[in-house]
Amino acid sequence: MHTSNPNGTSAAATTEGAGSRSPSLDALARGLGWASLGLGVPQVTTPGRFDRAIGIRPGLEPRGWTLAVGVRELGAATGILLLNAKKQTAWARVAGDVKDLTLLVRALQTGRSERPARTIAAIAAVLGIGATDLYTALGLTRRDRGEQPGAGEPEGPAHVKVAITVRRPREDVFRFWHDFSNLPSFMAHLESVQPNGDGRTHWTAKAPAGRTVEWDAQIVDERPGELIAWRSIGGDIDNAGTVRFTDAPGDRGTEIHLDLRYDPPGGRLGSAVAKLLGEEPRQQVTDDLRRFKQVTETGMVVRSEGSPEGPKTRRLLRQRPAQPLPASEATAAVR
């Protein structure tokens, strides 16, 4: 883990970073400008061929969609490369990325994509470009305000602190958590935790964009019924944290206090990709603890007709709004 002050970095590192990252923002913006030019030309000159390249049969997309997108890309290239309007154009690109994602997803849902694999690849590409656009737009905005790049965000490891109350005795809650093989039952992105002996475990988890990450962890402090502290040892994600168990006031069970620090894969750009994909760390950890509460209090993650895929929490990410049962099924259920 990194050694840092409360702001996450030393004063020397902050000063150095402010001077070194600004030019890279300009270079990144120019790269996006050239990318817009490279996309805009074929979209305007050969829209049908471009549609086929992303798996959409020409004539099935909304009328003039590809041509309009191409004109927008050429406008972005002009704004960045010729007019030097980098910040405004970067934000315009972010808005365009959202529109493009919406249109591509709808093409899959409505059957306008004749080659879904190509359309899915196009969606993944737009997500990656969108994360870069967002990172660039935020950096340029902060710089124009006179802030250091990343001001308001901690340098180095992300820090998440979440708490929840579980209506179970503290010893039972501690015992369930301490059996690390139970963790994937409520941590949605965790695939497996395998003990290696001597307080070490091997973790496998899902990352954004379908990636898999792995690391080993070592327990560095343990007080039965009270606390578990760990840190990672090598692997894809540098992380450390503590989980504390205390008696809730009024004999209401157990309070769980989770304190987690980790380095997102890919740094800030990786963090931007995760947020664009709905993988906001604090919300993710909060949802995990809510599922932990359900598992320990009821024995399972509570499901409804809106989440019928089964008890594996990773599959619960595909929830949908619940719908009333058909009349025939409702009658059968009553009987």
Side-chain angles (χ1 to χ4, degrees), residues 33-237:
W34 286 110
S36 286
L37 183 63
L39 285 171
V41 170
Q43 287 174 326
V44 170
T45 58
T46 56
R49 182 176 297 177
F50 186 90
D51 289 339
R52 283 190 290 271
I54 61 175
I56 297 176
R57 188 183 309 162
L60 293 183
E61 78 285 352
R63 186 175 181 84
W65 168 56
T66 303
L67 182 60
V69 172
V71 171
R72 189 195 73 211
E73 293 289 355
L74 292 178
T78 301
I80 293 175
L81 300 175
L82 298 180
L83 303 181
N84 201 33
K86 296 184 180 70
K87 180 184 71 174
Q88 297 86 343
T89 305
W91 281 115
R93 282 181 56 88
V94 171
D97 295 330
V98 174
K99 293 179 181 178
D100 292 347
L101 284 173
T102 302
L103 289 169
L104 287 168
V105 171
R106 285 180 179 174
L108 280 177
Q109 293 174 335
T110 58
R112 290 199 298 269
S113 172
E114 62 179 357
R115 295 190 176 183
R118 290 189 178 187
T119 306
I120 292 172
I123 291 173
V126 173
L127 285 170
I129 293 172
T132 307
D133 288 334
L134 180 61
Y135 175 85
T136 305
L138 289 170
L140 291 171
T141 299
R142 292 189 182 106
R143 191 180 67 182
D144 285 356
R145 290 174 179 170
E147 301 176 7
Q148 294 173 350
E153 296 182 5
E155 295 278 350
H159 188 195
V160 177
K161 297 179 71 174
V162 182
I164 198 168
T165 299
V166 177
R167 292 184 177 274
R168 295 287 296 172
R170 180 158 51 91
E171 291 74 15
D172 292 349
V173 175
F174 178 89
R175 188 182 308 112
F176 185 89
W177 192 295
H178 191 271
D179 183 355
F180 299 122
S181 63
N182 289 326
L183 300 186
S185 69
F186 63 89
M187 293 186 173
H189 296 77
L190 194 57
E191 291 288 293
S192 64
V193 181
Q194 299 175 344
N196 293 336
D198 298 327
R200 293 194 177 192
T201 47
H202 182 76
W203 298 57
T204 303
K206 287 289 185 181
R211 294 178 54 220
T212 298
V213 293
E214 300 184 39
W215 68 93
D216 288 334
Q218 172 75 55
I219 294 179
V220 295
D221 190 9
E222 180 179 327
R223 303 170 204 163
E226 297 181 8
L227 176 143
I228 303 171
W230 77 92
R231 63 179 175 85
S232 63
I233 305 173
D236 298 316
I237 299 181

Side-chain angles (χ1 to χ4, degrees), residues 224-286:
E226 297 181 8
L227 176 143
I228 303 171
W230 77 92
R231 63 179 175 85
S232 63
I233 305 173
D236 298 316
I237 299 181
D238 186 17
N239 67 91
T242 59
V243 55
R244 299 177 183 273
F245 306 86
T246 60
D247 293 327
D251 196 26
R252 292 187 296 112
T254 305
E255 289 184 353
I256 302 171
H257 299 266
L258 180 61
D259 190 325
L260 172 65
R261 294 178 183 268
Y262 73 100
D263 283 335
R268 282 193 183 145
L269 184 56
S271 180
V273 172
K275 289 183 179 180
L276 198 64
L277 292 172
E279 308 282 341
E280 202 283 318
R282 181 175 298 277
Q283 186 60 50
Q284 184 182 124
V285 174
T286 299

Side-chain angles (χ1 to χ4, degrees), residues 21-31 80 84 86 140 143:
R21 275 192 290 263
S22 294
S24 67
L25 285 173
D26 291 328
L28 193 55
R30 286 193 298 271
I80 293 175
N84 201 33
K86 296 184 180 70
L140 291 171
R143 191 180 67 182

